[in-house]
Amino acid sequence: MKVLLLITRAELGGGQTHVADLLRGMRDDFELELATGEEGYLTEAADRIGIPWHVLPDLVQPIRPLHDLKALHQCLRLLRQVKPDVIHAHTSKAGVIGRLAASLAGIPCIFTAHTWCFAEGTSWKWRAIGTPLEKLAARVSSRIITVSEANRDLALRHGIAGPEKFTTIHNGIPDCAHHCSHHCSHRAAPDTQRIPRIVMVARFSQQKAQSLLVDAVASLTAPFHLSFVGEGPLREAVERQVEALGLQEKVDFLGQRLDIPEILASSDIFALFTKWEGFPISILEAMRAGLPVVASNVNGVPEAVSDGDTGFLIPTGDVKLFRDRLAQLLEDANLRCHMGLAGRQRFARDFTAESMIAKTSALYWEAVGLSVSSKPLILAERTRAETFTTER
């Protein structure tokens, strides 16, 4: 079966990492191609594993009606060229344009909603225009995948489609031990006798609240070191805040990095102060490494973090409780170790890439009107057809 995966941006981010994992995990079972609005991290990842990719230059994130019409035309032209059996669209703009193009071309389309245009934090323009567009696109969707139950419930509350359209498939990531080219377990040891390291991996944006995490650690009395991983428009403001509080020796900024498993393995506590989320992959990476997680109790986060078991959930913006929970973990190496192990076990049970890929693959077969059990049959038919054509 030929599947075209479509996403707006190719930059390094949660949605793009998710698509890269699908490409890696499904390449042996499907004929895959990728389309995106730009070159970047994702097209480079596709190159490394030999997946063909295409750029639709007018597929841009902002709402620009002229560009959007051109992007629809470019998408239709690509569908005629690639002739996929199924389209799998990701993120809002590619989701709407991809589903409309698929409907016009008579091709089944699955959409993964990593977050919604009407979720907290999106612009009023996207909310006003995006919500009716999502309702329209939902009517021509074969299936809509939500990455958390919270995302599914939000869509149902906004009347995007009936419950029969939705399937929740939690994000999953490869277990590092199987994913790396060389042997590396990348397990943290949060009970070692060193100054504990807190790490937050996130883009510096309005959504993430690195400044509140700095406020939380500023009055900690236990020894600690805090590392921020990521780039973004608000990084300089947080750097100035750290300097104003005299925390330069305790807080560092590592920038955008690709060696996240190694960084997490050398850390002791994972923190995510955030205002809203779909289902953050960064938390899964921390659980994979065996780190206790302290995170804001928003949207899909409590579906990953079990409060008091694999970490602590904090009401949004509660700096004092965030500080108290960090202090509790800093002062108790056994608690860090216990929660980290519980998180690791939860990851292995529920959030591996294999689990996510198996569920997604089943939807591809369902979209073309077949069950997974029909797969060997259709492959045999296709092989016979190709042999017949070649012989002729």
Side-chain angles (χ1 to χ4, degrees):
M1 189 198 299
K2 182 181 274 193
V3 181
L4 177 70
L5 286 92
L6 177 69
I7 189 168
T8 312
R9 305 293 305 275
E11 63 178 3
L12 180 60
Q16 291 74 18
T17 304
H18 175 91
V19 170
D21 286 337
L22 288 177
L23 292 174
R24 274 189 289 266
M26 293 179 158
R27 59 184 165 161
D28 293 336
D29 294 322
F30 299 96
E31 187 182 341
L32 303 176
E33 297 200 22
L34 168 71
T36 179
E38 62 189 10
E39 293 185 39
Y41 156 80
L42 189 50
T43 54
E44 290 163 13
D47 270 337
R48 282 194 293 274
I49 55 175
I51 302 287
W53 52 268
H54 314 266
V55 169
L56 308 178
D58 286 290
L59 183 60
V60 293
Q61 201 168 37
I63 295 169
R64 294 180 184 161
L66 187 59
H67 281 277
D68 298 340
L69 281 171
K70 286 181 177 177
L72 181 62
H73 176 69
Q74 289 161 6
C75 194
L76 274 167
R77 195 167 56 204
L78 180 64
L79 296 184
R80 284 196 291 269
Q81 176 192 328
V82 173
K83 297 184 175 66
D85 298 302
V86 175
I87 297 158
H88 187 178
H90 296 257
T91 66
S92 296
K93 180 64 79 72
V96 170
I97 286 172
R99 282 179 285 174
L100 293 178
S103 175
L104 290 168
I107 300 168
C109 186
I110 291 165
F111 170 57
T112 291
H114 296 271
T115 186
W116 290 108
C117 62
F118 41 81
E120 189 180 349
T122 48
S123 70
W124 66 268
K125 192 190 288 187
W126 249 123
R127 284 170 184 252
I129 297 172
T131 305
L133 282 175
E134 285 290 356
K135 289 180 180 180
L136 173 66
R139 293 173 67 178
V140 294
S141 305
S142 300
R143 182 72 65 163
I144 299 170
I145 298 172
T146 50
V147 297
S148 66
E149 287 293 332
N151 260 14
R152 178 180 181 275
D153 293 345
L154 184 63
L156 290 173
R157 284 202 304 275
H158 280 78
I160 298 304
E164 70 285 349
K165 279 276 185 182
F166 294 97
T167 299
T168 296
I169 302 177
H170 286 117
N171 285 334
I173 57 173
D175 198 342
C176 190
H178 304 115
H179 183 47
C180 295
S181 54
H182 55 283
H183 179 72
C184 61
S185 60
H186 287 151
R187 296 290 172 271
D191 58 341
T192 49
Q193 300 305 307
R194 61 178 176 217
I195 293 179
R197 183 193 202 185
I198 305 164
V199 63
M200 177 168 169
V201 181
R203 178 172 160 77
F204 285 83
S205 64
Q206 291 292 341
Q207 175 188 0
K208 314 294 181 179
Q210 284 95 341
S211 62
L212 294 182
L213 181 55
V214 173
D215 286 340
V217 301
S219 54
L220 284 171
T221 53
F224 74 92
H225 190 88
L226 170 61
S227 292
F228 285 114
V229 181
E231 285 293 348
L234 298 184
R235 175 175 164 170
E236 281 184 24
V238 179
E239 286 178 331
R240 287 196 299 272
Q241 180 190 6
V242 165
E243 201 172 323
L245 290 167
L247 293 171
Q248 301 96 310
E249 293 194 1
K250 292 185 172 184
V251 181
D252 61 5
F253 296 79
L254 304 182
Q256 186 165 294
R257 299 283 288 268
L258 293 175
D259 57 340
I260 301 298
E262 290 88 345
I263 292 169
L264 293 173
S266 63
S267 302
D268 301 277
I269 300 166
F270 183 82
L272 186 66
F273 223 136
T274 179
K275 296 173 183 175
W276 69 88
E277 290 291 337
F279 190 77
I281 285 174
S282 60
I283 283 179
L284 303 187
E285 291 174 325
M287 291 167 67
R288 176 179 67 187
L291 289 179
V293 175
V294 185
S296 304
N297 187 5
V298 292
N299 308 111
V301 172
E303 293 171 44
V305 180
S306 177
D307 188 43
D309 180 25
T310 66
F312 293 115
L313 294 169
I314 312 297
T316 318
D318 192 334
V319 173
K320 182 183 181 302
L321 185 57
F322 215 106
R323 182 194 65 218
D324 292 347
R325 293 307 196 193
L326 287 174
Q328 196 176 340
L329 285 166
L330 289 171
E331 291 161 9
D332 191 340
N334 287 333
L335 181 63
R336 294 198 299 271
C337 193
H338 171 78
M339 286 188 156
L341 181 61
R344 167 68 205 170
Q345 290 169 341
R346 177 100 197 272
F347 160 77
R349 188 182 75 232
D350 297 332
F351 303 125
T352 61
E354 288 81 2
S355 171
M356 172 184 76
I357 286 162
K359 292 171 185 172
T360 306
S361 299
L363 288 189
Y364 290 174
W365 291 103
E366 181 189 290
V368 295
L370 293 163
S371 66
V372 179
S373 59
S374 310
K375 174 180 163 183
L377 197 63
I378 191 172
L379 292 180
E381 287 294 334
R382 177 169 281 195
T383 305
R384 275 201 292 274
E386 286 168 355
T387 306
F388 177 70
T389 307
T390 308
E391 286 171 351
R392 288 187 71 190

